[in-house]
Amino acid sequence: MSEESPTTIEIPSTITVKAFAEKLEKPVPEIITALLKNGFLAGINETLDFETAALIADEFGFQTLEEKIDEKRVDILNPEQLAEILKQEKEKNENLQPRPPIVTILGHVDHGKTTLLDAIRKTKVVETESGGITQNITAYQVEIKNRLITFVDTPGHQAFSQMRARGEGLADISVLIVAADDGVKSQTKEVIKNLQKDKAPMIVAINKIDKPGANVEKVKGQLADAGILLEKRGGKIPVVEISAKNKINIEELLETILLLADILKITADWKRKALGVILESHLDQRKGALATAIIKTGTLNEGDSIIAGDSTGTVRQILDFNKKRIIKAIPGSPITVVGLDNVCKSGSVLQVEESRRAARRKTRRSRLEMAGNLLNEKVSVKRINESMEEKDLPKLNIILKADAEGSLEAIKQILETIPRDEALLNILSEKVGNITETDVQLAMASGALIHGFKVMVPSSISQAAKKNGVVIKISDVIYKMVDEIKEQLSDLLEPEIIRTDLGRMKVLAIFRTEKAKMIIGGKITQGGVTKDSLLEIKRDKEIIGKGKVTQLKHGPKNIDEGKEGMECGLTYIPKDGMVKIKEGDSLIFYLEKEEKRKIK
Ligand code: GDP
């Protein structure tokens, strides 16, 4: 073997098995086997951290370097890349100034998460003259000792945990809430496990201390058993005993958060272009697509060109969490952005671009890429999921778009109840937002129909769809949309054939026999016959042939219908090969009607 120096490759801080295999130019199964040998059970789409990837790369004779993210080289940042950039920013330590800490409250159900978020908001929220605390707030800020704290009601979105896994979460500090009368429960343990895995800074709030059954010491003991080392118990994790309901020690909890924030040195580069994370996005009838975001670093200004997920736009308005208009958003603030061309997924990164054109170019590129990926992904998923019985069934591919995650869920739940025994409904893609170019491209490539619920179709998209024969249906009532989908599925079904028996005839004479036609005479023994009946030939109790009647006569006269007891002559045309009728045969007359079947 020759003494070659090992090749050096750059690997990002996280990489999927598939992308890793491509980097090493090795088949995926080989990588999976090598991972298994080292004790990692990972599928093709699983993500490897840098350490694991480096270990395996070494086995294949590669040296590895951790790839730094160059923002200029990445089109659209994903949450992991954002986390990486924020980490790099801290390491560089230039232009950094403190920013408000971003805090989230986690814990077992019913331990008081919502009550605590409410209590903090009601006691401390900076209310504006527009007044009225808005319902369904996903994030808000409170002021204490002239400093701000941002609270986020974190949806359990995967993107947020992806960020966390890179050591830079959506939130800087997590408050683990445990009810003093209930103690550490399954979800408490789950939260602890995740926070510890990610080395996330936390504070414990022991809640409901007002309750008669409260036992704070017992809870602290349980926490110690679960690996949480509290202050004054040999550890460093701050703990505050509170009652969210009676608003006891809320102030103390907030001060503890500020103390921890100081220790953590939560900072941002206020001068750079803003980078944030989308918490929620929906369509507003008047304002168009709205997106609520938290600014992690940088300052967002009105007029900035932005990208959020696969949407782009120019910031037309920035609203603070009280829905009051502000002209710029500083790091750490929760805001709503008006001006995106479409809604985006929660967890998407909000990034500012040089110009609207650059933003558009980048999203266009990524939309195209996505359509391609989506297709590949769906094909492989389908292969695995499709059972043998389902393989031969007709299939309807659809692309679902809706105005909000909630609608999408509701629609999907109903669609799941559609029986799959005759035709299959295959949802190729489901997203919140208006119909986009990607949808049309995916529809073209897959023959799918696009169904939108309370969304819009920009006229350029509608034209492109028309030109390429892509069907887009928009509804604003869920059941109408579902009915339409059922109708389209029903169209795929073979019609049902309904047979009506008319009558019988005893064959008495054969007048003429041609290659594919006979003229015969007989007597109607039962029911009747029409001049367009279908017929079966019965001989010795067996059906030996089929055909149809094309002409019916009574004596020399053409008739439309013959009745029981009549003697008639008729022209018979065979079906499926000539079967000759003989004297003494019985003919059974019937009609067939095709009936469209419906999926219920
Ligand atoms: P979540 O599921 O964690 O959001 O819990 P909630 O905030 O909805 O609280 C669950 C129940 O516990 C509600 O009935 C609250 O009123 C009650 N609760 C919350 N905090 C306290 C508290 O400090 N003391 C008492 N007595 N009840 C509380």
Side-chain angles (χ1 to χ4, degrees), residues 211-227:
K211 277 189 118 174
N215 188 342
V216 172
E217 286 313 306
K218 189 172 157 199
V219 175
K220 286 183 177 172
Q222 289 174 339
L223 284 166
D225 291 342

Side-chain angles (χ1 to χ4, degrees), residues 261-314:
D262 288 339
I263 296 170
L264 294 171
K265 293 197 174 60
I266 294 168
T267 51
D269 178 350
W270 289 48
K271 294 218 172 75
R272 62 156 290 153
K273 290 195 176 76
L275 283 175
V277 182
I278 303 292
L279 297 176
E280 187 268 343
S281 176
H282 67 272
L283 285 178
D284 180 275
Q285 295 293 355
R286 279 186 311 128
K287 293 188 161 148
L290 299 183
T292 302
I294 291 275
I295 306 297
K296 289 287 290 186
T297 189
T299 300
L300 183 74
N301 293 292
E302 261 187 27
D304 277 350
S305 300
I306 50 169
I307 297 181
D310 50 4
S311 310
T312 73
T314 305

Side-chain angles (χ1 to χ4, degrees), residues 157-171:
H157 197 277
Q158 198 197 350
F160 299 131
S161 44
Q162 276 171 4
M163 271 187 83
R164 186 67 267 170
R166 295 310 314 144
E168 182 70 42
L170 166 74

Side-chain angles (χ1 to χ4, degrees), residues 120-346:
I120 296 170
R121 195 169 78 195
K122 288 200 181 109
T123 41
K124 287 287 164 198
V125 91
V126 209
E127 273 187 69
T128 50
E129 66 276 20
S130 67
I133 289 163
T134 328
Q135 284 298 302
N136 292 328
I137 271 184
T138 44
Y140 63 81
Q141 274 186 322
V142 296
E143 194 180 317
I144 177 163
K145 294 185 166 170
N146 294 324
R147 290 171 66 183
L148 293 169
I149 304 176
T150 303
F151 281 91
V152 181
D153 186 1
T154 330
H157 197 277
Q158 198 197 350
F160 299 131
S161 44
Q162 276 171 4
M163 271 187 83
R164 186 67 267 170
R166 295 310 314 144
E168 182 70 42
L170 166 74
D172 307 299
I173 294 171
S174 301
V175 173
L176 171 66
I177 191 166
V178 191
D181 62 336
D182 202 23
V184 170
K185 290 277 148 188
S186 58
Q187 283 166 304
T188 321
K189 286 185 188 154
E190 189 67 30
V191 171
I192 292 174
K193 202 177 86 193
N194 288 332
L195 292 177
Q196 286 186 328
K197 187 179 75 188
D198 303 335
K199 300 190 182 75
M202 71 167 120
I203 292 172
V204 171
I206 299 180
N207 189 31
K208 306 197 189 184
I209 55 165
D210 60 292
K211 277 189 118 174
N215 188 342
V216 172
E217 286 313 306
K218 189 172 157 199
V219 175
K220 286 183 177 172
Q222 289 174 339
L223 284 166
D225 291 342
I228 295 289
L229 300 175
L230 297 175
E231 264 176 357
K232 299 202 190 110
R233 283 186 159 241
K236 285 202 177 125
I237 298 174
V239 54
V240 189
E241 294 159 27
I242 62 162
S243 165
K245 196 173 167 191
N246 296 348
K247 302 197 176 68
I248 300 171
N249 285 344
I250 301 298
E251 191 99 4
E252 194 184 334
L253 174 64
L254 297 177
E255 283 172 19
T256 309
I257 290 172
L258 286 180
L259 267 172
L260 182 57
D262 288 339
I263 296 170
L264 294 171
K265 293 197 174 60
I266 294 168
T267 51
D269 178 350
W270 289 48
K271 294 218 172 75
R272 62 156 290 153
K273 290 195 176 76
L275 283 175
V277 182
I278 303 292
L279 297 176
E280 187 268 343
S281 176
H282 67 272
L283 285 178
D284 180 275
Q285 295 293 355
R286 279 186 311 128
K287 293 188 161 148
L290 299 183
T292 302
I294 291 275
I295 306 297
K296 289 287 290 186
T297 189
T299 300
L300 183 74
N301 293 292
E302 261 187 27
D304 277 350
S305 300
I306 50 169
I307 297 181
D310 50 4
S311 310
T312 73
T314 305
V315 178
R316 271 194 282 125
Q317 283 180 21
I318 305 173
L319 309 174
D320 71 4
F321 66 91
N322 280 316
K323 300 282 174 280
K324 203 183 92 178
R325 191 159 170 190
I326 49 179
I327 53 164
K328 60 179 179 181
I330 57 172
S333 49
I335 47 134
T336 298
V337 177
V338 184
L340 282 170
D341 64 354
N342 208 342
V343 294
C344 48
K345 261 202 177 146
S346 68

